[in-house]
Amino acid sequence: MLYLASILVTVLLYVMVFRTKARMKVKFSRWQKIGCVLAAVMPAWVCIGNLRIPFLYYWDYSCYYNMQLGLENNFSENAVEGAKTFFVALMQDDYTPLINLFDAWAFALSNKTANAFVACNFIIAVLPMLILVSTLLAYLSGKVELRHKKAFWVLGMALWFSFPLLYAAASKGQPDFFGLNWILLILLLTLDYRFETWQSERLLYIFVAVVMLILTRRWYMYWLVGYLACYAVLELLWLIGRYRSHQAWKKPLRNALCYLVLCAGVGMLALHKLIFRILAYDYSEHYASYLGGGLGQELQSQAWHYGLLYMVVMAAGIIYGTYKTELRALTWSSVGTFGIAIFLFTRVQNMDVHQSLLLLMPAMTLVFVGIMGLCSLRGKAVCGVTGAVLLAGSLAQGMSQHVNGSVPYLLSDAKAYREERTDFADVQKVADWIRNHVGENEMAYMIPHGSPYNPDVFRSIDLPDTYVRDHLYYGSAVLGTHEFPEGLLTAKYVITSDPLCDIGLATKYNDAFLNGPAKTKFELVETMDFENGYTFYFYERSQPYDREEIAYYRNLTAEENEKFPELYGAVLDRLEKELEA
């Protein structure tokens, strides 16, 4: 049932892709079809290159892989219950399993390792993206008279598919770039549509793409809000400029309002649990630990992500797009979308590379417009030399892990290739110790919570074997996001390290464990030295936790409990009740 559903949704995606291409009245020439195949070499090169680099998947890097394993397991045990669990997670979890549904058929044909999951993500996300980006470039090339159309298409494909930021998260197991397909569909379906006529198929595809985008990753809604706000302004400006009589506005406005009400009604019916959860949850408060510098810092980070090479082309795009009447609306809607999205997002937190993808479409649209300006120049020499520099720079940073991120300011600081890890043997020793000492009904807790070591590093090394993952707590250290680590009280073994990998509250918990009441209730049973200088200490609980320990941790987290009682006091209350029982 799972694989059938996966094949079905994949087919429906391609139906939308090809029908959208047809609606744009775009037909690929023979050389463009060959070009699409050649463009696929870049993501294939990046994918294969990354799979050859030893890497440990943990935290967000292993999140979707674990979800993929869980999805298969749920459906294999009971298809009906598996489907129920899937839809509940789709509506209620911050990390929804929609991408996993699309991946399922390809993952079933693999050896089901984390590397196989990464390869499946590339296959599922990149193939429709090739068609959609090519369609967008073909559409844009018809907006103005270009003297070098082939050069525009080649440069556009090269600068998109060789851009390191596109792959920076995917190479480490975060499949967020799949959402760009829905953004491309929304953009293509709305670029030349002004609601003068009611086009049922187009409107259905827009609605489906919007829902799929929200369910892919919720933070893509920041792009959606920015784009729809700019689209609404453009719609009004278009009506004012096109029709002098207010009577002529009635049909487009009526169609737009009817569609908005219909989508709002159906969307609320389908996504009401998701919407109510988002409205009820204070993300800005709970994610405050991820707010590192706000808008100013984020603008600087994004500048580094794009590098001078792309930023100069973007600036040229703004100038050329403003100059050309045919491109003015597209140009400034892209600027507006970028600005609104980054402003709203930084009210909550700053972006990691995977979240930066929500800004990729408006930024790359400006890049495309800039290339259009270059390819409209009369001088072949100027166009050729400049194009060659752009092509060489983009291909170099996409194809070489040594060039990528190594030229400050000029090229992107985002890394398409992950960093090699050389401590597999030491990590495996800890995992093996947990496997051999922690019983079936027992748990271990690890205090270090940072890089290079945290619980999830050791939980993930044996996957798809899940024994260590199931017997080592995930870990807890981030204020507002993680609960109080009950493993400090309930686990049979507590593991710590020197030096301590610290994020958030890890040092506070570590000092409390080593110097508080727990020190009389644990015995040191194992010490492991790593080749890189880290030492891990394994403590076994010799006495069960009691009210004294609970009171100590309650006092320790009093300040945190004032902000988030549901994450701290509530956990300790539950453990105290279990103690009384």
Side-chain angles (χ1 to χ4, degrees):
M1 180 178 176
L2 171 63
Y3 307 131
L4 181 62
S6 177
I7 293 171
L8 179 60
V9 295
T10 302
V11 170
L12 291 176
L13 169 60
Y14 279 95
V15 168
M16 290 179 63
V17 167
F18 284 108
R19 288 296 299 157
T20 298
K21 175 176 171 290
R23 281 196 163 275
M24 302 301 292
K25 299 178 181 179
V26 169
K27 291 185 178 180
F28 294 160
S29 62
R30 183 179 179 183
W31 70 268
Q32 285 177 318
K33 293 176 182 177
I34 296 173
C36 282
V37 175
L38 294 176
V41 171
M42 178 59 73
W45 178 282
V46 173
C47 180
I48 294 170
N50 274 294
L51 297 184
R52 296 173 64 182
I53 300 173
F55 185 77
L56 269 174
Y57 299 88
Y58 60 92
W59 285 347
D60 284 2
Y61 305 148
S62 65
C63 177
Y64 278 94
Y65 174 53
N66 280 304
M67 288 166 58
Q68 195 73 51
L69 295 174
L71 186 66
E72 282 204 337
N73 184 60
N74 290 339
F75 273 86
S76 64
E77 291 179 355
N78 186 310
V80 175
E81 286 300 316
K84 181 180 178 181
T85 303
F86 170 81
F87 282 109
V88 169
L90 200 63
M91 294 296 111
Q92 296 183 3
D93 292 352
D94 283 327
Y95 294 87
T96 64
L98 180 68
I99 299 173
N100 300 107
L101 180 62
F102 282 88
D103 280 345
W105 68 267
F107 190 68
L109 301 175
S110 72
N111 61 2
K112 301 186 180 180
T113 61
N115 275 348
F117 178 68
V118 170
C120 292
N121 291 331
F122 270 80
I123 293 171
I124 297 300
V126 169
L127 292 180
M129 197 182 296
L130 284 164
I131 302 169
L132 291 170
V133 173
S134 183
T135 300
L136 176 60
L137 292 171
Y139 167 81
L140 291 177
S141 67
K143 293 284 287 184
V144 296
E145 184 179 349
L146 297 178
R147 299 179 184 276
H148 313 287
K149 281 193 175 183
K150 288 185 179 181
F152 167 70
W153 190 89
V154 170
L155 285 173
M157 293 291 281
L159 266 66
W160 177 283
F161 286 103
S162 63
F163 190 39
L165 186 62
L166 181 65
Y167 308 112
S171 65
K172 298 176 182 177
Q174 296 174 281
D176 306 77
F177 71 154
F178 178 74
L180 291 171
N181 287 303
W182 305 117
I183 287 180
L184 282 160
L185 280 168
I186 294 168
L187 184 65
L188 288 168
L189 288 165
T190 55
L191 274 175
D192 60 350
Y193 184 59
R194 292 293 177 263
F195 286 95
E196 288 183 288
T197 59
W198 184 272
Q199 301 179 21
S200 299
E201 184 184 26
R202 180 194 294 264
L203 296 174
L204 174 63
Y205 290 165
I206 294 172
F207 176 75
V208 171
V210 167
V211 172
M212 292 295 102
L213 180 65
I214 294 172
L215 294 178
T216 296
R217 284 306 298 265
R218 293 178 187 175
W219 44 256
Y220 272 126
M221 284 192 286
Y222 290 104
W223 173 87
L224 189 63
V225 170
Y227 182 74
L228 292 181
C230 292
Y231 182 83
V233 171
L234 289 177
E235 176 75 8
L236 289 175
L237 292 176
W238 178 84
L239 286 173
I240 294 171
R242 178 74 178 267
Y243 301 111
R244 294 182 179 179
S245 171
H246 288 183
Q247 293 296 320
W249 293 16
K250 285 187 176 180
K251 188 175 182 180
L253 282 179
R254 183 177 65 245
N255 287 339
L257 290 174
C258 286
Y259 182 63
L260 181 63
V261 171
L262 181 62
C263 287
V266 176
M268 181 61 73
L269 183 64
L271 304 176
H272 64 280
K273 290 185 177 180
L274 170 69
I275 295 170
F276 290 150
R277 184 184 184 281
I278 291 173
L279 293 175
Y281 192 78
D282 189 346
Y283 283 91
S284 61
E285 184 178 18
H286 284 80
Y287 280 57
S289 296
Y290 299 104
L291 183 60
L295 179 60
Q297 180 60 48
E298 193 56 52
L299 288 170
Q300 186 178 28
S301 296
Q302 293 302 320
W304 290 341
H305 288 342
Y306 287 90
L308 279 175
L309 183 70
Y310 278 68
M311 289 185 65
V312 168
V313 182
M314 290 166 62
I318 295 175
I319 295 171
Y320 182 72
T322 304
Y323 170 72
K324 297 295 290 187
T325 305
E326 304 92 330
L327 299 174
R328 199 170 295 156
L330 176 64
T331 300
W332 284 100
S333 67
S334 298
V335 172
T337 301
F338 189 100
I340 293 171
I342 195 171
F343 174 79
L344 293 177
F345 196 96
T346 52
R347 298 306 91 194
V348 177
Q349 67 176 92
N350 283 81
M351 299 181 186
D352 203 344
V353 288
H354 65 295
Q355 292 152 338
S356 295
L357 292 172
L358 70 91
L359 302 174
L360 186 64
M361 191 70 255
M364 290 304 296
T365 301
L366 295 175
V367 169
F368 294 157
V369 175
I371 301 172
M372 293 175 75
L374 174 65
C375 294
S376 63
L377 296 175
R378 292 183 178 181
K380 289 185 178 180
V382 175
C383 180
V385 172
T386 308
V389 171
L390 290 175
L391 189 62
S394 63
L395 292 178
Q397 67 179 358
M399 296 188 73
S400 173
Q401 58 181 308
H402 302 295
V403 173
N404 175 222
S406 65
V407 184
Y409 306 115
L410 179 61
L411 302 179
S412 171
D413 73 342
K415 296 184 178 181
Y417 298 90
R418 57 208 194 187
E419 296 180 1
E420 181 176 354
R421 189 144 190 166
T422 59
D423 58 350
F424 276 81
D426 286 328
V427 173
Q428 190 65 61
K429 283 194 303 183
V430 174
D432 290 342
W433 191 94
I434 293 171
R435 181 185 296 276
N436 295 330
H437 290 80
V438 181
E440 186 63 40
N441 297 316
E442 297 171 341
M443 294 293 293
Y445 181 79
M446 181 176 287
I447 298 175
H449 202 93
S451 181
Y453 299 113
N454 58 76
D456 220 35
V457 168
F458 304 93
R459 284 160 44 94
S460 302
I461 190 169
D462 287 338
L463 292 175
D465 186 295
T466 63
Y467 189 89
V468 175
R469 186 193 70 182
D470 295 340
H471 292 82
L472 177 64
Y473 282 106
Y474 177 79
S476 178
V478 180
L479 178 66
T481 303
H482 295 159
E483 293 182 339
F484 174 81
E486 64 176 270
L488 286 174
L489 294 167
T490 61
K492 181 177 181 180
Y493 297 98
V494 173
I495 306 167
T496 187
S497 70
D498 182 29
L500 183 77
C501 301
D502 181 33
I503 283 181
L505 301 173
T507 295
K508 186 174 186 177
Y509 291 144
N510 192 61
D511 291 343
F513 171 73
L514 294 176
N515 302 308
K519 67 181 180 181
T520 64
K521 297 180 173 65
F522 281 86
E523 295 179 3
L524 180 65
V525 295
E526 185 74 57
T527 301
M528 285 189 189
D529 294 322
F530 283 17
E531 289 186 6
N532 58 12
Y534 281 83
T535 300
F536 277 76
Y537 301 94
F538 299 75
Y539 293 87
E540 182 178 5
R541 182 174 280 278
S542 57
Q543 300 176 39
Y545 73 90
D546 53 23
R547 288 183 178 82
E548 180 192 8
E549 244 184 299
I550 292 178
Y552 175 78
Y553 283 121
R554 195 185 295 278
N555 181 64
L556 180 76
T557 57
E559 184 179 347
E560 291 80 7
N561 186 61
E562 287 184 9
K563 291 184 177 180
F564 307 105
E566 73 282 7
L567 298 180
Y568 296 93
V571 175
L572 292 170
D573 289 343
R574 174 173 56 81
L575 292 173
E576 193 164 21
K577 288 181 180 178
E578 292 175 3
L579 190 64
E580 294 172 354

